[in-house]
Amino acid sequence: MSIELRHLRSFLAIAEEGSVTRAAARLHLTQPAVSRTLAAVEKHLGTRLVDRSTHHLALTAEGRIFRDKAAAAVAAFDEALDPTRLRRWPLRLGHAWSALGPFTTPLLRRWEREQPQTPLELLRIDDRTAGLARGEVDAAVLRGQVETPGLVTELLFMEPRVAAVTSDGPLAVKDELTLSDLAAGPVLVNPVSGITTLALWPEEERPVSAVTVTNTDDWLAAIAAGRGAGVSVVSTAEMHPHPGVTYRPLPDAPPVPVLLAHRVGPQHPALPALRDMARELTRQD
């Protein structure tokens, strides 16, 4: 039996819904039909994609990898058949927050001048790979170490870190802060798209607790409300000012690599031009 696009869509529905029953309802199919489709995909690949040993359906490690590949394949298919994109093929550049920081506007303006035939779409996607692994974008600006299979990355520059604290709190009066200054209170952590974890601190100085958020807007709101402090990069301070948040240099924290990434395999024809332009604009002699 050959695997078709419908098999991928069924598997993705299962992965997103976390249930064969809900996936079947979403696809307007019967539960047995969706179960047979899943079994056919697993048989074709020779591995289990879904763990059925618990009360809640969960993807196996192989299932998570296949989910990303299947999502990219479906997105590429839908993109190819979108009639609105036949005349002009935009280059989609994803980012989770702050894009290229101070280089963002120069990049967009220069692209408009030099590549007017190819629109450059800047898309903020709250995801560790800014939508790249799922095929939602053609390239992405990523921060921190990237271990997602199937991606190629290139270092553009290293970015210093900053602390973000409540503007009317005691830490805001200091000119600069240290990691130990932040360890006494909760720290805001974004496991969806952020780069800061408690592992940033030495084991003996780790913060007493962490508060989880899922995007930059909630991160800022929580800091302004006094729920904890955050750690980010200087571009965040420049591109996300907030009246209730004060940013301070954090010189004892290691800088963050800023990467340009794309998927292995076929690429948008304008990607080399984007790569060259990003290199030139961010070059630090």
Side-chain angles (χ1 to χ4, degrees):
M1 177 181 176
S2 61
I3 298 301
E4 303 172 359
L5 189 64
R6 62 184 177 87
H7 293 88
L8 302 185
R9 293 194 190 278
S10 291
F11 172 74
L12 291 174
I14 293 170
E16 292 170 8
E17 296 291 342
S19 162
V20 172
T21 301
R22 290 195 296 272
R26 170 174 157 181
L27 297 168
H28 305 291
L29 298 171
T30 65
Q31 180 176 337
V34 174
S35 294
R36 287 195 299 270
T37 299
L38 174 60
V41 175
E42 290 182 322
K43 181 178 180 181
H44 179 83
L45 295 174
T47 187
R48 294 191 64 173
L49 302 176
V50 173
D51 183 1
R52 304 171 181 82
S53 62
T54 62
H55 294 296
H56 301 285
L57 182 150
L59 298 182
T60 63
E62 293 81 4
R64 290 191 294 271
I65 294 173
F66 182 68
R67 174 195 57 197
D68 293 340
K69 292 184 176 181
V74 171
F77 178 85
D78 292 340
E79 171 82 8
L81 294 184
D82 184 350
T84 64
R85 294 177 178 262
L86 292 179
R87 291 186 179 86
R88 304 182 79 194
W89 185 3
L91 176 60
R92 302 163 302 173
L93 178 62
H95 69 106
W97 85 96
S98 297
L100 275 174
F103 306 107
T104 304
T105 298
L107 175 70
L108 295 175
R109 288 181 174 176
R110 180 171 169 182
W111 186 270
E112 184 69 21
R113 291 194 310 268
E114 298 182 11
Q115 302 287 336
Q117 73 284 358
T118 304
L120 179 59
E121 296 181 353
L122 187 64
L123 303 173
R124 175 180 159 184
I125 300 176
D126 289 310
D127 174 84
R128 187 65 190 91
T129 67
L132 186 59
R134 300 199 303 266
E136 298 179 25
V137 295
D138 304 296
V141 177
L142 306 178
R143 286 177 169 80
Q145 299 302 318
V146 178
E147 300 177 353
T148 305
L151 300 187
V152 177
T153 63
E154 176 180 343
L155 176 65
L156 294 177
F157 61 97
M158 300 295 290
E159 190 168 23
R161 297 193 197 234
V162 296
V165 298
T166 309
S167 292
D168 59 358
L171 295 179
V173 301
K174 296 187 176 183
D175 292 332
E176 64 179 34
L177 295 169
T178 65
L179 288 171
S180 61
D181 289 330
L182 307 180
V187 170
L188 275 295
V189 175
N190 176 0
V192 176
S193 58
I195 54 171
T196 300
T197 69
L198 297 186
L200 178 64
W201 282 260
E203 188 171 357
E204 66 278 5
E205 294 184 2
R206 286 188 180 163
V208 294
S209 62
V211 177
T212 300
V213 295
T214 58
N215 58 65
T216 301
D217 294 334
D218 291 348
W219 181 81
L220 290 167
I223 295 171
R227 296 184 60 199
V231 176
S232 191
V233 292
V234 294
S235 292
T236 305
E238 297 167 355
M239 301 192 70
H240 296 280
H242 191 290
V245 176
T246 295
Y247 296 98
R248 290 290 181 257
L250 197 62
D252 66 336
V256 175
V258 180
L259 313 169
L260 183 65
H262 63 84
R263 294 186 302 277
V264 174
Q267 303 173 8
H268 191 292
L271 183 58
L274 175 66
R275 188 165 52 237
D276 291 343
M277 193 175 295
R279 288 171 181 162
E280 292 180 18
L281 287 171
T282 60
R283 184 181 296 128
Q284 298 179 356
D285 298 325

